Amino acid sequence: MSGGLPATTETVVLADRLGKSYGERAALEEFDLTVHRGTCHGLCGPNGSGKTTFLKLLTGLFRPSSGSVEVLGLPIPRRAVEVRRRLGVLLDQPLVPHHLSLGEALRYMTDLHGGRIPRARSAALLDRVGLSWRRRDSIRTFSRGMAQRASLALALLPDPELLILDEPFTGLDPQGCALVEEVITERVAAGGTVILVTHELRRAERLCDRVSWLERGRLRRTTERGSWSAAEIEGVA
Amino acid sequence: MSSLRTVMRLVRWECMRELRRGEIVVSMILFALVSIFILSFAIDPGTQTAVRAQPGILWTVLLLAGSIGVERAFGRAGEERVLEGLLLAPVGRVSIYYARVISTWLFVAVMNLVVIAAFLVLYNVRTDFATFLTILGGAWAAGIGFCAVGVTLAAMTRTVQGGEILHRLLLLPLLIPVFKGVVSLTTQALRGQEIGPREIAIILAFDLVYLAAGQLLFDEIVADFEG
Amino acid sequence: MSVSDVERADRATPGLSPSMLVHAVVALGLIAWLNHRIAHAVPFSVKKIEQSYLIFYYHLPSALSCSIFFAIVLVGSIQVLRTGSAEWDRRAVVAGRVGVAACAATLASGSTWASAAWNTWWDWGDPRLMTAAIMFFTYAGYVLLHAQVEDPVRRRRFGAIYGILAFVNIPLTKYAIEWFGATAHPAELSNIATDEAIVITKSVGVLAFFTLYCLVYRWALQRERTKDRLRSVLTRVRAIEEGAAA
């Protein structure tokens, strides 16, 4: 991404009446969402509101029961492999074999991306997340916060056009939280797109250009930055 | 072409883990050797009965030991989320499947090599190197289909409570055809006979059928992925 | 009836409840015992394999029925993978259960008859007997897998996948066993029993048993449908309750 691009109206995520049900129970219903390039979009809601289900549909881990979703202009899950080249995902733990050392984990991730990532990038990322000194230790030995930092490095490795962060602040110390916030702002400024999933509405309000509020599998409202009053945030958060 | 390279890269990472920890290969081999000793108490290896039963004993042991390896294809400690990571990576699902089949096959192949050699020595089978190679070749050939179907089933049972037992219950009946084939092949090899076309045909048919089925069905298995 | 009642009933019903299992074993045992008595009541002179046609009146129909039900499992499985249909999934798994029952009846009647006709309870070298036994284990695995996967969507899909693998296994097993073994079964069923009376009796036997199994099948299928409908109603009720509470 070349820096300094203004936020365009180019659509990165387009969900159209998206739905997913397990047998009788609907985890997500009639979900419409548009995310533009160069923005940070927040997905908020209580536990079980369908945030994770939406992420799984977005990344092609689930097949939709109804409706459709496109990422970077390509239909999911049919062309998910192409999309995943341009996608970085941070979940609750690093999704690599935990016996690997951090350095190896980055090489493993590079291999999954077809070996196209220069080694200097891994080193720079390790510096960035402050884990260079633990490069040789296996991920199994990491604390919750350190594992989260490692996940961040792995998610950023392919320099993704779309970065998906699922509860990135869990287990992080204040410096770690500041780091994540910095990364988000930086990528958005550089024309990248971020989807931030969190149950912390306050933080989402501060970081995201738009915030979608989910409840029991349905999209309740999508708002521009600053639409939620302090009292409202207090009420739901 | 690029997917072939990806498959080989994934296989290399799997092998690296195995070289470091030896978890699967070592447990398969130990299980097989213990079984051989237990069976020696059931059928005295010095008797004529044991000589006739040798192919059957060998293959029962290889089959049960191998089923330990394939069942673990997706479920090792500290790797519960690795499959999820692979599914989120820009790697085709067929590549993921083949990578697991190939790495599991390599582990099973090593186990076959060690166990067949140990069996021939322990049971004092007087035989030449060519016979050993024939039996091993049969094992390696049958191992392809064995891993193909075993990995397919492991991808399903990994999410089921008590999946280990279910995996074996589902796997063993499907192995009967190839089992018949390799036992017959081993019998012929030990008697110094030519290997019959039917033995080769059944092993190849088994390999092809289950590789094709696994490749087609794997995408369906992981379509709604639950960690 | 509350939601938890249904959940409890639901947990208890996917496979066999213990009391039903006892019921099935007793029924099977009685059939086997009766069969054994009948087999031994046949005068010694007709006990030769070529003439032991009495068994065809109920053993053969069970065997044929079980093949038909396993074929339904295959059709249902393919349909499930193509369309994700819940109805085909019910048809497939109920056919699997009835097929396993018919297969068990085939094995029990065959084994008890064999003890009189061939003087052995189990002929390990007989391809048809062995193929039937392997089929029994394969489809029992299918029924078990279907019962053990909790998520309904994956249960459907995994069941379908194994339903296909199980069917693929039949010809492979059949050829493997035939190639590497010999049979005690009469080679061609049509060679014996050409007498008109026997043919008619046999056909009526097939028809009678197949009709009976079909009745059980429809009955069980109806039960599955009712259960699923009940579950869907309760899910909706629960959603409304939760909505009201929130």
Side-chain angles (χ1 to χ4, degrees):
Chain A
M1 289 286 97
S2 54
L5 277 178
T8 61
T9 48
E10 192 187 335
T11 305
V12 174
V13 174
L14 180 66
D16 180 26
R17 298 173 68 82
L18 191 62
K20 179 70 192 175
S21 49
Y22 306 92
E24 284 304 323
R25 195 170 56 79
L28 200 70
E29 286 175 286
E30 305 275 312
F31 192 84
D32 290 309
L33 187 75
T34 310
V35 177
H36 296 299
R37 186 178 290 282
T39 62
C40 174
H41 196 108
L43 290 175
C44 292
N47 294 335
S49 57
K51 304 189 295 281
T52 307
T53 304
F54 175 64
L55 282 195
K56 289 196 166 183
L57 288 162
L58 193 63
T59 49
L61 286 187
F62 278 177
R63 282 184 194 165
S65 312
S66 59
S68 64
V69 57
E70 280 181 15
V71 178
L72 298 162
L74 299 170
I76 302 288
R78 206 158 53 78
R79 299 183 62 183
V81 174
E82 288 158 74
V83 170
R84 289 190 196 115
R85 275 189 237 287
R86 301 148 71 186
L87 196 70
V89 186
L90 177 148
L91 298 182
D92 58 325
Q93 56 165 284
L95 303 181
V96 295
H98 285 189
H99 69 96
L100 296 179
S101 74
L102 185 53
E104 285 167 340
L106 286 161
R107 275 210 298 285
Y108 172 83
M109 206 49 147
T110 308
D111 271 357
L112 293 190
H113 279 271
R116 281 184 289 264
I117 300 158
R119 279 191 97 143
R121 184 165 171 81
S122 320
L125 276 172
L126 283 186
D127 274 338
R128 183 79 204 274
V129 300
L131 284 177
S132 294
W133 60 293
R134 295 294 299 264
R135 198 175 49 235
R136 288 173 203 289
D137 296 332
S138 94
I139 291 176
R140 196 186 307 111
T141 63
F142 283 16
S143 71
R144 181 84 183 78
M146 280 164 61
Q148 197 75 354
R149 284 165 184 262
S151 290
L152 183 64
L154 289 166
L156 290 173
L157 189 66
D159 191 14
E161 285 169 57
L162 173 62
L163 179 66
I164 296 175
L165 304 171
D166 187 6
E167 303 288 359
F169 303 104
T170 319
L172 281 180
D173 52 22
Q175 293 93 320
C177 291
L179 171 71
V180 173
E181 292 187 9
E182 207 180 287
V183 165
I184 293 174
T185 341
E186 209 173 82
R187 296 204 72 82
V188 171
T193 312
V194 179
I195 290 182
L196 173 67
V197 177
T198 176
H199 54 261
E200 295 175 80
L201 183 58
R202 193 165 313 151
R203 201 168 231 146
E205 257 290 286
R206 188 153 48 78
L207 289 167
C208 301
D209 299 291
R210 300 172 90 190
V211 174
S212 293
W213 179 260
L214 281 80
E215 244 177 68
R216 277 187 277 121
R218 281 179 177 275
L219 182 64
R220 296 293 151 177
R221 56 192 281 206
T222 296
T223 53
E224 301 293 325
R225 191 198 303 267
S227 310
W228 291 73
S229 69
E232 272 182 308
I233 293 178
E234 235 18 84
V236 291
Chain B
M1 195 59 225
S2 74
S3 51
L4 183 68
R5 220 174 312 148
T6 312
V7 169
M8 291 334 285
R9 283 201 184 101
L10 287 174
V11 170
R12 207 178 55 206
W13 282 104
E14 281 297 302
C15 292
M16 204 183 84
R17 182 202 162 98
E18 199 52 33
L19 282 176
R20 269 188 205 172
R21 319 203 22 159
E23 209 180 349
I24 292 184
V25 173
V26 171
S27 41
M28 281 195 295
I29 290 174
L30 282 177
F31 179 85
L33 294 180
V34 169
S35 306
I36 288 176
F37 275 93
I38 287 183
L39 282 166
S40 79
F41 294 116
I43 305 170
D44 190 345
T47 60
Q48 216 27 56
T49 320
V51 172
R52 267 204 309 276
Q54 271 165 2
I57 293 174
L58 174 65
W59 276 100
T60 307
V61 167
L62 289 178
L63 194 80
L64 294 177
S67 74
I68 295 178
V70 287
E71 196 268 322
R72 297 275 203 92
F74 291 110
R76 277 171 292 178
E79 306 221 329
E80 293 83 1
R81 302 288 292 276
V82 172
L83 180 57
E84 190 174 351
L86 287 171
L87 292 171
L88 283 172
V91 179
R93 270 136 202 222
V94 173
S95 304
I96 299 176
Y97 172 70
Y98 274 115
R100 284 295 152 143
V101 172
I102 292 171
S103 56
T104 312
W105 181 82
L106 287 171
F107 305 156
V108 172
V110 172
M111 181 273 282
N112 286 341
L113 173 72
V114 175
V115 173
I116 292 173
F119 181 84
L120 293 179
V121 172
L122 287 171
Y123 271 69
N124 207 15
V125 182
R126 265 182 234 105
T127 184
D128 52 5
F129 193 62
T131 309
F132 170 68
L133 283 186
T134 310
I135 299 173
L136 187 63
W140 284 357
I144 299 171
F146 175 79
C147 292
V149 63
V151 167
T152 309
L153 294 177
M156 294 201 278
T157 55
R158 57 180 282 284
T159 57
V160 180
Q161 276 262 307
E164 285 167 46
I165 299 161
L166 189 62
H167 183 267
R168 281 181 188 60
L169 282 178
L170 297 178
L171 178 65
L172 293 180
L174 301 187
L175 297 180
I176 306 291
V178 78
F179 186 76
K180 284 291 250 182
V182 285
V183 167
S184 177
L185 179 143
T186 309
T187 312
Q188 289 170 338
L190 287 178
R191 286 184 189 154
Q193 297 165 339
E194 279 284 303
I195 304 303
R198 283 179 165 182
E199 282 74 7
I200 296 169
I202 198 91
I203 293 172
L204 288 183
F206 178 81
D207 288 350
L208 287 176
V209 164
Y210 285 110
L211 268 181
Q215 179 179 342
L216 286 173
L217 297 174
F218 187 72
D219 190 39
E220 288 292 327
I221 295 174
V222 294
D224 279 304
F225 184 81
E226 200 78 20
Chain C
M1 195 182 230
S2 73
V3 173
S4 66
D5 281 338
V6 174
E7 275 170 357
R8 212 174 308 130
D10 202 30
R11 240 177 290 127
T13 44
L16 278 171
S17 71
S19 69
M20 276 168 75
L21 199 64
V22 171
H23 199 139
V25 168
V26 168
L28 215 57
L30 287 174
I31 293 173
W33 181 80
L34 205 62
N35 186 39
H36 193 230
R37 300 297 300 174
I38 295 171
H40 278 284
V42 176
F44 188 75
S45 59
V46 294
K47 258 188 210 162
K48 287 196 303 189
I49 292 158
E50 291 76 17
Q51 288 157 315
S52 60
Y53 50 80
L54 267 180
I55 190 164
F56 298 132
Y57 300 148
Y58 51 97
H59 168 76
L60 180 72
S62 283
L64 280 177
S65 304
C66 111
S67 314
I68 291 169
F69 283 110
F70 290 159
I72 296 177
V73 174
L74 176 74
V75 174
S77 298
I78 292 172
Q79 288 293 342
V80 166
L81 287 187
R82 278 186 50 221
T83 64
S85 147
E87 174 61 18
W88 274 111
D89 175 58
R90 282 191 287 268
R91 284 180 193 156
V93 73
V94 170
R97 289 179 201 160
V98 178
V100 167
C103 196
T106 310
L107 291 174
S109 59
S111 169
T112 40
W113 190 269
S115 84
W118 306 335
N119 202 22
T120 174
W121 289 92
W122 191 265
D123 183 351
W124 292 98
D126 184 72
R128 270 199 213 134
L129 182 60
M130 291 305 285
T131 308
I134 302 303
M135 270 160 78
F136 174 79
F137 286 118
T138 321
Y139 281 92
Y142 164 78
V143 171
L144 208 63
L145 173 70
H146 199 279
Q148 284 197 15
V149 181
E150 275 172 39
D151 173 65
V153 176
R154 268 184 301 159
R155 171 167 56 219
R156 213 174 283 166
R157 203 171 287 152
F158 288 4
I161 286 167
Y162 198 72
I164 291 172
L165 293 182
F167 197 83
V168 165
N169 188 41
I170 297 175
L172 282 174
T173 306
K174 188 173 169 294
Y175 282 114
I177 293 179
E178 269 175 15
W179 281 355
F180 309 115
T183 184
H185 265 94
E188 283 293 325
L189 291 178
S190 50
N191 286 353
I192 39 167
T194 41
D195 188 76
E196 200 180 325
I198 292 173
V199 170
I200 290 173
T201 318
K202 201 170 73 183
S203 310
V204 173
V206 169
L207 205 63
F209 271 83
F210 185 60
T211 314
L212 182 67
Y213 284 120
C214 280
L215 182 68
V216 177
Y217 169 76
R218 292 186 55 187
W219 188 16
L221 185 61
Q222 203 52 55
R223 178 170 154 280
E224 284 303 302
R225 281 193 194 127
T226 313
K227 221 172 69 183
D228 283 353
R229 213 168 298 150
L230 191 62
R231 204 176 301 152
S232 107
V233 168
L234 275 151
T235 316
R236 250 171 280 160
V237 168
R238 192 157 29 178
I240 293 168
E241 277 173 3
E242 278 168 10

